[in-house]
């Protein structure tokens, strides 16, 4: 074999590894979805798709220009969600990539008319989507939610909706809900789960404009085939104290003198113990937390602050529980606690995975403040 034949053979061998990439999708010729909004009107699915403009965010977490839009929102409708998706394909310029999808927003009508389970089933069956997609519910137009840009024009992939865990660690109100966690909760007793409820507020301003922002205002209570309703504002305040996932949250208490003291509770630990009394399931709740005093408006003893904090936490837990009962919802998953710790009694009492609850099903709420500090050596006012 002469030198020319050897050189040709080596050249052919060198091109073989490249052939595996010839039929791959070119990244610059694809459109990347970041958020999806789902509405339901007049018997039709209304689909809103937020597509990222990576040209403005590719080299930095901070967009390069305020003038260039970070995302655009497309709209399509159909008798089924699949039909709406394929209708959307008719108007796009390039192939759509679903692998970067970060969140789904459901309208109230979609939760009521379509239910959650069949919609999630469509997304998890598609090969490009992941289980780590965040879920939200809203009463506002879902199109407006998708059009919101981050404050200070931060990269849209790091927005509150696309990356909720960051802000949750600083203020834990309603825990972010991914598809994975929602499916786990709906497959276990009580077969219900919470999805963050968001509202649109114009509470930020720049020199040029007023900026809209999504606000976590409460939670939607859903099951595979039912939508219980929304629990919002102060009525939802007890949720944060009943989960070990809470990182830290603020509580404001009022003293006997009418002054206010701000306390941050963190390191929340919750234990729920079911107790059988005359054939009925009752529950004892033990909560541990550490406290940090942020604002002191009068000289007060730590024991007095602890007493006030315990009273408010108990009141919020009870209020949220009572509001959920009106919706026939087991918001603290008490049915699951009985299932885990006394499955024999759970089988006797359960119906469709849930046990019947009453206002007195929670027997005791015991709260322990393990450590109370003020970031200083005193609990007195700094300036008299």
């Amino acid at each position: 074999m002469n030198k020319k034949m050897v050189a040709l053979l080596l050249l052919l061998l060198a091109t073989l590894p490249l052939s595996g990439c010839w039929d791959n999708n070119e990244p610059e010729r694809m459109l990347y979805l970041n958020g999806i909004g789902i509405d339901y009107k007049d018997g039709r699915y209304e689909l809103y798709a937020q597509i990222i403009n990576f040209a403005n965010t590719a080299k930095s977490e901070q967009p390069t220009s305020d003038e260039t839009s970070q995302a655009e929102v497309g709209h399509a409708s159909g008798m089924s969600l699949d039909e709406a998706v394929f209708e959307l394909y008719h108007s796009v310029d390039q192939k759509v990539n679903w692998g970067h999808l970060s969140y789904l927003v459901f309208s109230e009508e979609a939760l009521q008319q379509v239910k959650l389970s069949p919609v999630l089933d469509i997304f998890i069956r598609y090969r490009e989507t992941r289980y780590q997609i965040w879920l939200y519910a809203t009463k506002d137009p879902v199109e407006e939610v998708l059009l919101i840009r981050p404050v200070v024009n931060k990269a849209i992939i790091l927005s509150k909706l696309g990356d909720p865990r960051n802000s949750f660690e600083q203020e834990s109100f309603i825990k972010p809900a991914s598809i994975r966690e929602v499916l786990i909760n709906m497959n276990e007793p009580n077969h219900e789960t919470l999805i963050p409820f968001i509202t649109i507020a114009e509470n930020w301003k720049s020199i040029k404009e007023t900026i809209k922002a999504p606000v976590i205002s409460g939670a939607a209570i859903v099951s595979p085939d039912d939508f219980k309703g929304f629990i919002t504002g102060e009525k939802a305040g007890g949720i944060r104290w009943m989960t070990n996932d809470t990182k830290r949250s603020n509580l404001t208490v009022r003293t006997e003198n009418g002054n206010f003291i701000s306390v941050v509770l963190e390191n929340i630990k919750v234990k729920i113990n079911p107790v059988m009394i005359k054939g009925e399931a009752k529950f004892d709740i033990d909560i541990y937390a550490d406290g940090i005093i942020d604002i002191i408006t009068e000289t007060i003893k730590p024991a007095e602050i602890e007493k006030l904090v315990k009273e408010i936490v108990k009141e919020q837990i009870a209020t949220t529980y009572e509001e959920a009962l009106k919706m026939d919802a087991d918001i603290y998953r008490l049915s699951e606690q009985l299932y885990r710790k006394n499955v024999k009694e759970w089988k006797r009492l359960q119906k469709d995975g849930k046990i019947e609850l009453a206002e007195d099903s929670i027997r005791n709420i015991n709260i322990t403040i393990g450590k109370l500090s003020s970031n200083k050596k005193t609990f007195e006012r700094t300036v008299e």
Side-chain angles (χ1 to χ4, degrees), residues 285-304:
I285 299 172
D286 295 305
I287 299 174
Y288 172 93
D290 294 328
I292 300 174
I293 311 299
D294 275 350
I295 298 175
I296 298 178
T297 54
E298 64 178 88
T299 300
I300 188 170
K301 295 180 180 179
E304 296 178 35

Side-chain angles (χ1 to χ4, degrees), residues 54-62 64:
F54 277 116
N56 200 28
T57 60
K59 296 182 179 180
S60 173
E61 292 183 353
Q62 189 73 22
T64 58

Side-chain angles (χ1 to χ4, degrees), residues 296-300 378-384:
I296 298 178
T297 54
E298 64 178 88
T299 300
I300 188 170
T378 177
F379 286 88
E380 299 179 355
R381 292 174 58 184
T382 304
V383 179
E384 291 293 343

Side-chain angles (χ1 to χ4, degrees), residues 1 10-11 39 58 61 73 86 89 93 101 128 130 133 136 145 182-183 191 206 247 266 278 290-291 297 334 368 379:
M1 185 179 294
L10 291 175
L11 181 62
D39 199 358
E61 292 183 353
V73 176
F86 277 85
Y89 290 157
D93 301 318
L101 183 61
E128 290 184 6
R130 299 161 293 130
I133 297 173
Y136 302 94
V145 175
V182 166
L183 291 178
H191 306 301
S206 68
K247 306 297 182 183
E266 55 186 17
K278 296 182 180 180
D290 294 328
T297 54
L334 301 179
T368 302
F379 286 88

